[in-house]
Amino acid sequence: EAFAVDPDRAIAGLKSHVWPALPTDDGGEEFAAYFNLLAATHVSAEGSHSAAAATCAAAAKAARALHDAAPRLSLASLIGPDGGAPAGGSTEASHATAAAIAIDAHASGPHGAIRFPSDAVAALAEAVRGLPAPAPGFDSDAVWLSAVCAVLSLSVPGAVRPQPRDRWTAAETALPTLPPDDIAAVVRWCALDGAHPMGWPDAGGGFA
């Protein structure tokens, strides 16, 4: 009832109180519920043709798809509280993607080996296409490059770090999915000690 009486106040309350309390991972249903409620409240405030409501409805659908592709993904790093771009931009989005893929790569290989999780990355890249307002510069190509870099620099706390050759063997299967410029950047980074392909500092997790 409070949402119908004062929807603008309700919208502000959702963003200031509910959004910060959402899970940092494994929160697909919670994020979808938040955005669906926010969409309904925008309709109460602005009518059935509310653009903000449409954005929130699309964000709810995207949140589920992102979670299904990578349950450990920090959804707040890819979607902002109004369904738009996240505050951390493409840097935060790519770091969150890499972190989720690193966990998947480490957990999915047999007998402690690592494996590039191609199916999960493909699903995640497709889910990113459904974002109503992705971070500028963060698209499906950025998802693949983030994933390749995550596997090449794989270092999971509490586990023995795989050797560079093992990380390269796992990641090279995905290289054909990258644009030529990204492939060249990866090779320069790994073989010639060049800059990180995503512009990240290598401290604590470079290729070597």
Side-chain angles (χ1 to χ4, degrees), residues 111-203:
H111 309 299
I114 59 172
R115 181 187 65 85
F116 189 87
S118 297
D119 291 345
V121 178
L124 188 54
E126 183 62 31
V128 164
R129 292 189 183 98
L131 288 171
F138 187 76
D139 55 14
S140 58
D141 285 342
V143 170
W144 281 100
L145 183 57
S146 297
V148 167
C149 291
V151 173
L152 288 171
S153 60
L154 184 65
S155 180
V156 177
V160 176
R161 191 181 190 199
Q163 293 297 312
R165 64 177 180 274
D166 297 323
R167 286 180 268 129
W168 176 264
T169 298
E172 69 175 344
T173 61
L175 289 181
T177 66
L178 301 180
D181 287 349
D182 287 348
I183 295 174
V186 168
V187 171
R188 284 195 300 269
W189 176 46
C190 295
L192 303 174
D193 198 25
H196 193 288
M198 302 292 294
W200 303 342
D202 279 348

Side-chain angles (χ1 to χ4, degrees), residues 1 3 9 16 20 45 51 64 80 83 96 104 111 131 133 149 154 180 190 206:
E1 183 179 350
F3 284 78
R9 183 178 179 184
S16 62
R64 283 198 177 95
D104 199 353
H111 309 299
L131 288 171
C149 291
L154 184 65
C190 295

Side-chain angles (χ1 to χ4, degrees), residues 2 13 15 21-22 45 63 66 69-70 79 82 92 110 123 127 134 139 141-142 160-161 176 203:
K15 292 180 181 179
L22 291 174
L66 290 166
I79 317 174
D82 58 356
E92 184 177 347
D139 55 14
D141 285 342
V160 176
R161 191 181 190 199

Side-chain angles (χ1 to χ4, degrees), residues 10-91:
I11 290 169
L14 285 169
K15 292 180 181 179
S16 62
H17 298 296
V18 177
W19 175 260
L22 291 174
T24 55
D25 62 12
D26 199 19
E29 288 303 315
E30 291 87 344
F31 274 78
Y34 165 86
F35 283 119
N36 281 328
L37 181 56
L38 193 58
T41 310
H42 274 295
V43 169
S44 295
E46 303 153 20
S48 59
H49 298 293
S50 166
T55 295
C56 290
K61 184 177 179 180
R64 283 198 177 95
L66 290 166
H67 172 263
D68 288 345
R72 300 292 188 92
L73 181 66
S74 170
L75 295 178
S77 297
L78 274 72
I79 317 174
D82 58 356
S90 61
T91 298

